[in-house]
Amino acid sequence: METHVSWLTQFVNQHLGNFALSLLAALHIHPSNPATPIPENVVMSMVVFVIGVLGALWLRPRLSVDNPGGVQQVAEMLITNPIGFGIRDLLDEYVQHGGRRYMAMVGSVSVFILLANLLSLFPAFSAPTAEKAVPLGCAIVTFLYFNWQGIKHHSVGYYLLTFAGSPRKLGDWLLGILLFPVELFSTCVRVLSLTARLWANIFASDLVYVIFLGLLIKPALWGWEKSPALGIALGVFPAIIPLAFIGLHMFVAIIQTYVFTLLPALYLGIATADEH
């Protein structure tokens, strides 16, 4: 059960909760908290989706080759930049066969994760990626996608043979029998590694921010009880020091987005490579 429920989640459940309960009952699914059948992470994921769609619709008619605005330049930096940090840069580097055709899918997941990671910087919102279900969903989509592209590129039979090292000789086949289950297991474990890495880092970043903010607020409240002047003086720290943790959270959010872009690009490159 989620311990934090924002006003927005309460509002959504107040108006759509009965519909959600009816739908879940029809699917024989019992929510962990019937009072909020639409959980916090689902509501926040929808907020991220709406922000992404509205942002794209707002930016599209303002795109310019001759006079790009600040928002366009930031968006272009997500795609490609001089240090090779962008989505297209990673696909070009790790995918042999026209990696740019995978950009729509990889880019959509990356932008969603970036916005989701940064959402908790705003009051009354929380990062949906701090809840295990959201990183797991992104990891499953990524897992299905790169395997499907591998099957499309090789065919089902040959793609399965790549897990055995694409054997050609008798000795290769004997080694492939041992190699196949290991490679298959390591590929499936990628879902867990993608999920745990993203969830643990964002959850920890949010937790550190909340803990230190709570520790800094308590002295200010104590000082206010003694004297308003003392409370204001001690309140400077809760107002200023959290800026460092906000910067740290932004850094973690960007790095985890980069990792969740780098690894899918690498997995696509492995799945569609002609030689393994």
Side-chain angles (χ1 to χ4, degrees), residues 76-155:
E76 290 176 352
M77 291 287 285
L78 295 176
I79 298 173
T80 182
N81 51 68
I83 60 176
F85 203 77
I87 299 166
R88 190 176 71 189
D89 300 327
L90 295 174
L91 288 172
D92 287 343
E93 181 175 358
Y94 292 104
V95 182
Q96 298 178 5
H97 305 279
R100 295 187 183 185
R101 67 176 180 267
Y102 308 125
M103 203 169 122
M105 181 65 184
V106 176
S108 297
V109 175
S110 298
V111 171
F112 173 83
I113 291 175
L114 178 61
L115 294 176
N117 291 348
L118 294 174
L119 189 62
S120 60
L121 293 176
F122 301 94
F125 293 98
S126 61
T129 42
E131 178 65 28
K132 294 184 288 293
V134 176
L136 177 61
C138 295
I140 290 174
V141 168
T142 300
F143 176 81
L144 294 175
Y145 183 72
F146 78 74
N147 279 295
W148 170 244
Q149 293 302 324
I151 291 171
K152 283 179 62 178
H153 184 77
H154 294 293
S155 78

Side-chain angles (χ1 to χ4, degrees), residues 13-84:
N13 279 277
Q14 182 180 355
H15 291 82
L16 299 177
N18 292 333
F19 173 77
L21 285 172
S22 301
L23 181 60
L24 292 173
L27 297 173
H28 303 287
I29 298 174
H30 303 285
S32 57
N33 186 3
T36 54
I38 306 176
E40 175 85 2
N41 63 289
V42 173
V43 175
M44 293 301 151
S45 295
M46 293 305 300
V47 170
V48 171
F49 175 77
V50 171
I51 291 173
V53 171
L54 293 179
L57 293 175
W58 177 85
L59 179 61
R60 183 175 179 179
R62 293 170 174 80
L63 295 176
S64 173
V65 176
D66 300 324
N67 188 27
V71 178
Q72 179 180 340
Q73 293 180 33
V74 172
E76 290 176 352
M77 291 287 285
L78 295 176
I79 298 173
T80 182
N81 51 68
I83 60 176

Side-chain angles (χ1 to χ4, degrees), residues 214-233:
L215 292 175
L216 291 168
I217 287 177
K218 287 182 179 180
L221 295 176
W222 173 84
W224 184 266
E225 293 177 355
K226 301 297 183 182
S227 167
L230 180 60
I232 293 173

